[in-house]
Amino acid sequence: MFTMKPRRRLTAALAAAGLAAATLAAGGWSSGGGHGHGREVDLQLLAINDFHGNIEAGEGLTHPDENGVEVPAGGAEYLATHLAEAREGERYSTTVAAGDLIGASPFLSAAFGDEPTIESLGAMGVEVSSVGNHEFDKGIDDLYRHIEGEDDYAGAEFPYLGANVVDEDTGEPVLEPYWIKQFRGGVKVGFIGMTLEGTGDIVAESGIEGIEFLDEVETADKYAEELRDKGVNSIVVLLHEGGYPVEEDTGHECESLDGSGVGMSGPIVDIAEQMSSEIDIVVTGHTHQEYVCSVPDPAGQPRMVTSASSYGRVFTEIEATYDRRTKDIVRSSVTGSNTVVERDVEPDAAQSELIAGYQDDVEEVANRVVGHISEDITRGDTRAEEFALGSLIADAQLDRTADPGLGGAEIAFMNPGGVRADLLHGEDGVVTYAELFSVQPFNNYLVTMDLTGAQILTMLQQQLPGEDRETTLFLQVSEGFTYTWDTSLEGTDQIVADSLMLNGEPIAAEQTYRVTVNSFLADGGDSFHVLAEGQNRLFGEVDLVALEAWFAEHSSAEGPVAAPEPGRVNVI
């Protein structure tokens, strides 16, 4: 059963089967609860996910409003104001997050190691977050830096939770597994934080050596039991794993803007269906989707599962009744809604001051000219196609590692998800350092390695969906390497084995080639596991440094860079 709340983008109410809407409205909420009197109190949870350092209200940040019109949305100044307004009159409120708050960040945050984002989130009242995969972009030591602080940097004001992030030798978590919010009057809510089990496959292995990521369901159940042993019966999971709204009926009720019911798919469905019934609410992320859904728990009872899009453009408001006698959330009282962070409110003064301070410091670096382009050089519409900017990056990485002393590379490959923004010509074709950074924000190293022709074929076959990935990822290739992708064939046969060519010569299965990829791919990231087998590795420049150096050598106002021609991969 669902009820729409006014002025909200997506809303859902979870009620036991057969419970009438009038009963839900009256039975779950006591008139004195919001003030902490009597047996029941009104809880409020405000949630975000996948913020990715988007503290500035950039022109490119938009979101459809309630009428489906694309409007400017997001920015820490406006998100902070929206959250503050939502908290007004709510005595039992907390603000939480489901990971990827940092990493893959825009220039302003990344230029200072994402310290501005951690400061911003603390200032806007985030009290707890799970880690996501991008919290590990620079390794566990950098995450500890954000948690503990260093020198003049105080670090996070909120706990970063990682219940399923454990030492592979001891099996013990290397981060706090849960946090208990203690409200006035003895009201307690436990939060278990986790990242997706597959995090190890999508971050650089070198930064997480000695760490493994455990099953989400088993971990959540373990700590739910531990919380209940401590007398904490109301439990919320913050999980950096998600799903996708779908139009067909999947048995998982969701609410769309126009009031039509939609279903849900993706990894979170199985996880939510199996997770202990003692868990009351699941706040998710990772897929950058927006949903407020009901997924039945193992006892068959509806349980709310939410996600608030990405980049701070949306936040979720969850309301629930807490019963002082049972010390638990009344499941049938839970309602949720997603709100677009429109910029029609006063910007938060503290956030504006924080952002302005960093902008003053970074302006000189950001505006440095690194090269020129003659036209827009862009990404594809999806990650399942060849696109010009990916080809250019692969060319640059090959060029920077081709010298025998720098790796002796013959081929380079670039993962599509590592290309995060377009290079746009604008009025003068100038490319600044900030723009280049937006394209490649991860600070991966270039790694040149030995691969056999057979391993290169396996790598190309691993572009296809399989056990570890549900979608196609199209590796971008450097000039001189070509092959045929025949979509009429089945499975890995789509990559036509005898079509692989390097500078017009067939790739031989047993011959060894020098191949350059970034350190993320070199560790088997994005489930390109065969790359972890590469031998005789030579680590080179940071990818952004390499790209900047390539632009300095290959472009000028008189000779700007053009978009590479398509067709390196013959798709039929």
Side-chain angles (χ1 to χ4, degrees):
M1 179 181 298
F2 295 90
T3 58
M4 293 296 291
K5 295 163 62 181
R7 297 184 302 280
R8 301 305 189 196
R9 168 103 175 110
L10 289 173
T11 59
L14 301 185
L19 188 64
T23 304
L24 173 63
W29 308 89
S30 64
S31 59
H35 302 288
H37 303 306
R39 172 175 158 178
E40 297 178 344
V41 299
D42 297 344
L43 295 178
Q44 181 195 61
L45 306 181
L46 304 178
I48 62 172
N49 53 272
D50 297 276
F51 189 64
H52 288 292
N54 280 269
I55 57 175
E56 291 183 284
E59 293 182 7
L61 283 181
T62 64
H63 194 281
D65 66 10
E66 291 189 356
N67 298 313
V69 177
E70 203 77 19
V71 297
E77 300 162 286
Y78 302 98
L79 176 59
T81 297
H82 276 277
L83 293 175
E85 290 181 351
R87 296 185 194 112
E88 290 179 4
E90 300 283 348
R91 295 181 62 188
Y92 295 85
S93 176
T94 186
T95 301
V96 304
D100 275 11
L101 302 181
I102 58 176
S105 304
F107 180 71
L108 183 64
S109 182
F112 297 97
D114 275 323
E115 292 176 15
T117 291
I118 295 296
E119 292 180 22
S120 170
L121 293 168
M124 71 175 68
V126 172
E127 292 195 284
V128 63
S129 179
S130 71
V131 291
N133 55 286
H134 279 285
E135 266 76 22
F136 296 93
D137 279 350
K138 296 182 181 178
I140 186 67
D141 290 340
D142 188 68
L143 176 57
Y144 286 149
R145 180 180 70 86
H146 286 299
I147 293 172
E148 300 166 2
E150 65 174 7
D151 300 328
D152 295 332
Y153 174 45
E157 296 180 17
F158 52 90
Y160 251 130
L161 306 180
N164 65 334
V165 185
V166 304
D167 185 298
E168 64 181 8
D169 293 328
T170 67
E172 294 299 314
V174 298
L175 301 168
E176 292 296 323
Y178 58 79
W179 174 74
I180 301 171
K181 171 68 175 182
Q182 302 198 40
F183 295 99
R184 61 179 60 83
V187 175
K188 298 179 181 180
V189 180
F191 294 87
I192 301 168
M194 297 182 291
T195 186
L196 67 154
E197 183 183 5
T199 293
D201 293 325
I202 56 176
V203 301
E205 185 178 337
S206 56
I208 56 168
E209 187 174 352
I211 293 173
E212 61 181 334
F213 300 87
L214 302 183
D215 180 83
E216 302 97 336
V217 173
E218 293 176 3
T219 302
D221 290 359
K222 171 185 176 180
Y223 288 108
E225 182 177 354
E226 186 169 319
L227 283 167
R228 288 184 67 83
D229 287 344
K230 292 186 174 184
V232 180
N233 298 338
S234 55
I235 301 171
V236 177
V237 163
L238 308 175
L239 173 58
H240 191 71
E241 177 62 290
Y244 302 89
V246 294
E247 291 302 322
E248 62 267 24
D249 181 8
T250 62
H252 311 105
E253 296 180 67
C254 305
E255 193 76 22
S256 63
L257 177 62
D258 60 8
S260 62
V262 295
M264 190 179 190
S265 67
I268 194 59
V269 175
D270 287 340
I271 293 170
E273 287 179 338
Q274 298 176 56
M275 211 176 266
S276 170
S277 299
E278 305 297 344
I279 295 163
D280 298 296
I281 298 165
V282 184
V283 176
T284 75
H286 188 55
T287 56
H288 291 204
Q289 300 297 305
E290 163 181 4
Y291 48 79
V292 177
C293 297
S294 169
V295 178
D297 66 17
Q301 297 301 309
R303 175 165 55 195
M304 180 168 287
V305 179
T306 72
S307 178
S309 187
S310 61
Y311 308 145
R313 296 172 298 167
V314 171
F315 73 92
T316 303
E317 181 178 359
I318 301 168
E319 296 175 339
T321 297
Y322 178 94
D323 189 316
R324 292 182 187 271
R325 182 180 64 81
T326 63
K327 300 180 180 179
D328 205 353
I329 288 173
V330 179
R331 187 78 71 81
S332 63
S333 73
V334 180
T335 63
S337 61
N338 277 341
T339 299
V340 179
V341 180
E342 296 191 50
R343 298 176 191 161
D344 56 356
V345 296
E346 284 293 320
D348 179 86
Q351 295 288 333
S352 299
E353 182 179 358
L354 183 153
I355 292 167
Y358 280 106
Q359 287 172 331
D360 289 343
D361 292 339
V362 82
E363 185 174 354
E364 183 176 347
V365 176
N367 293 332
R368 188 175 76 244
V369 175
V370 298
H372 296 77
I373 54 178
S374 61
E375 59 186 316
D376 291 348
I377 307 178
T378 62
R379 298 167 293 169
D381 293 329
T382 73
R383 296 181 181 181
E385 60 186 296
E386 181 182 13
F387 53 83
L389 189 51
S391 297
L392 183 146
I393 291 170
D395 289 346
Q397 294 183 354
L398 175 61
D399 181 81
R400 296 297 296 174
T401 57
D403 186 281
L406 299 175
E410 302 167 89
I411 316 168
F413 298 96
M414 179 63 194
N415 56 307
V419 186
R420 305 299 287 195
D422 300 326
L423 281 180
L424 302 179
H425 181 270
E427 294 182 359
D428 53 12
V430 165
V431 178
T432 65
Y433 182 80
E435 291 170 329
L436 214 59
F437 180 90
S438 296
V439 172
Q440 286 200 280
F442 294 114
N443 289 313
N444 287 313
Y445 288 92
L446 300 187
V447 183
T448 305
M449 64 179 74
D450 286 347
L451 291 177
T452 65
Q455 288 173 316
I456 293 173
L457 174 61
T458 297
M459 177 194 66
L460 297 177
Q461 292 170 339
Q462 288 176 349
Q463 296 175 110
L464 297 160
E467 293 182 2
D468 298 323
R469 190 178 60 243
E470 297 181 355
T471 58
T472 295
L473 288 183
F474 201 116
L475 289 171
Q476 310 299 299
V477 306
S478 57
E479 188 174 13
F481 180 81
T482 59
Y483 69 95
T484 295
W485 188 322
D486 189 344
T487 59
S488 69
L489 301 177
E490 296 294 326
T492 57
D493 288 342
Q494 292 181 52
I495 308 301
V496 180
D498 61 5
S499 70
L500 277 62
M501 306 283 284
L502 177 60
N503 298 322
E505 296 293 326
I507 292 284
E510 301 303 321
Q511 185 172 331
T512 297
Y513 300 87
R514 293 293 283 168
V515 175
T516 293
V517 294
N518 59 44
S519 52
F520 168 70
L521 281 175
D523 286 337
D526 271 344
S527 298
F528 289 99
H529 302 300
V530 71
L531 289 173
E533 302 172 9
Q535 301 296 308
N536 298 321
R537 295 170 176 239
L538 181 64
F539 282 76
E541 300 168 300
V542 170
D543 53 6
L544 179 62
V545 172
L547 188 59
E548 181 184 5
W550 184 88
F551 261 96
E553 183 178 349
H554 289 84
S555 79
S556 65
E558 294 75 24
V561 171
E565 292 293 328
R568 298 176 183 185
V569 182
N570 179 31
V571 179
I572 58 175

